[in-house]
Amino acid sequence: MYEMTLADSLFMKKYRFLFLASLMVLVLLGGMAVVACSNNFKHVPQTGFVEHCVKNGDSRIPFDAYWNAPDDKVWNDRVNGVNGKKVMMAVLPVDTVHMDVRPETSEGFDALRNLAEYFQKSVTASMEKEVAKNPNFDMVPVGTKGAYTLELAIISITPTNAKAGIFVTALSGIKGGGLVKRFIKKGHIAMAGRLRDENGRIVSEFADYEEDHSSLLGVDTKDFKKYAHHQHTIDEWSREITDVYSSTYGHKTSKRMISINPF
């Protein structure tokens, strides 16, 4: 009788643990869904880089602001390869002139320049991967006849507070220490983009604002580096830009705001 009771107890503990674990996963996924669906349009600085700073109301588009000219047939024919046409895309160097606040130190200017270069390389690399699997999409040099031109800009930035990240980690073992993080300003980055057709006409514009990402594991080594979060955000933007501008109108893509990888 005792052995049966012990077995029953172990059985109940096992399934209680599985139930609680499943509940935690559902709560985390629910939180991720809420964050992914949030729109930070009110935080997007309007610095004049885009003419149509319109709040995005389409959940299929991952940007806070999004506008398209009514050229769906012209665009879709290219994406679908109608009459042998294809989307040819050229990516310009990233603009850093249209900023809400300019850096005040040489370190800040160097970091901004490096992030701009990183942004262009990240978008280009992402689109080149698309070229390998999409016969109707191609990357070409700037100035190529018949090509669309993608123009990007970093329009706002504050670095991650690395010292504060170390401070919060030191308090993590103290009761109530986790609340301190709520009062520490997160780093952020905002960008804008516009797509021009072969005649130089703007046919699409977008903008987005992101704060430092959170890690699903609760620990993120990027909290200790001023611009590591921004590089992560840029890589996400590159994926989203590629998804949207290598597909037909009504493009669908997802926004991943919580990272499983703490590094």
Side-chain angles (χ1 to χ4, degrees):
M1 179 65 71
Y2 176 77
E3 291 181 354
M4 288 294 294
T5 302
L6 180 59
D8 288 343
S9 176
L10 292 174
F11 178 84
M12 292 300 294
K13 286 182 178 180
K14 175 183 177 182
Y15 281 92
R16 186 181 298 117
F17 170 78
L18 290 174
F19 171 76
L20 291 174
S22 299
L23 183 61
M24 289 177 65
V25 170
L26 287 174
V27 170
L28 284 170
L29 290 175
M32 290 173 68
V34 170
V35 173
C37 293
S38 63
N39 186 293
N40 292 316
F41 179 75
K42 63 182 180 181
H43 297 301
V44 176
Q46 299 189 28
T47 62
F49 184 79
V50 294
E51 297 178 9
H52 307 86
C53 197
V54 182
K55 183 176 181 180
N56 174 30
D58 189 340
S59 61
R60 299 170 299 182
I61 302 296
F63 310 121
D64 296 324
Y66 185 70
W67 171 86
N68 262 339
D71 289 357
D72 53 319
K73 185 178 187 307
V74 175
W75 178 262
N76 289 348
D77 281 353
R78 288 179 177 269
V79 172
N80 293 322
V82 175
N83 297 324
K85 295 180 179 179
K86 63 165 59 178
V87 173
M88 293 187 293
M89 186 76 68
V91 181
L92 286 177
V94 175
D95 178 287
T96 58
V97 176
H98 293 79
M99 297 277 292
D100 56 350
V101 178
R102 301 284 292 166
E104 297 180 353
T105 64
S106 58
E107 179 191 15
F109 273 107
D110 288 343
L112 179 60
R113 183 181 65 253
N114 290 338
L115 281 173
E117 292 174 358
Y118 185 91
F119 198 179
Q120 184 188 17
K121 290 178 181 177
S122 180
V123 171
T124 301
S126 178
M127 288 191 165
E128 285 175 346
K129 288 181 180 178
E130 180 64 27
V131 170
K133 60 183 179 181
N134 187 339
N136 303 320
F137 185 73
D138 200 7
M139 295 293 293
V140 296
V142 175
T144 300
K145 185 177 180 180
Y148 285 83
T149 303
L150 181 63
E151 302 174 359
L152 300 167
I154 295 175
I155 56 175
S156 183
I157 190 172
T158 57
T160 299
N161 192 334
K163 292 181 180 179
I166 296 173
F167 177 62
V168 169
T169 300
L171 290 177
S172 61
I174 302 175
K175 185 177 180 180
L179 296 175
V180 177
K181 197 167 186 178
R182 296 184 183 181
F183 301 98
I184 295 176
K185 185 176 178 63
K186 289 184 175 182
H188 83 271
I189 183 170
M191 66 89 179
R194 55 196 182 197
L195 186 68
R196 295 184 185 272
D197 65 13
E198 58 189 298
N199 299 313
R201 184 173 63 99
I202 295 174
V203 294
S204 186
E205 292 187 314
F206 56 94
D208 205 57
Y209 171 99
E210 297 295 347
E211 292 184 342
D212 293 350
H213 291 350
S214 299
S215 172
L216 190 61
L217 301 179
V219 178
D220 200 329
T221 60
K222 291 186 289 295
D223 289 339
F224 310 127
K225 301 176 183 178
K226 282 189 175 183
Y227 300 100
H229 275 288
H230 300 332
Q231 290 182 344
H232 176 73
T233 299
I234 284 171
D235 288 339
E236 280 296 292
W237 279 335
S238 297
R239 178 187 63 84
E240 293 164 359
I241 291 169
T242 300
D243 286 350
V244 171
Y245 292 104
S246 63
S247 58
T248 58
Y249 263 52
H251 355 257
K252 295 183 180 180
T253 189
S254 59
K255 177 181 285 292
R256 294 192 295 265
M257 297 309 302
I258 297 180
S259 172
I260 295 176
N261 185 355
F263 304 103

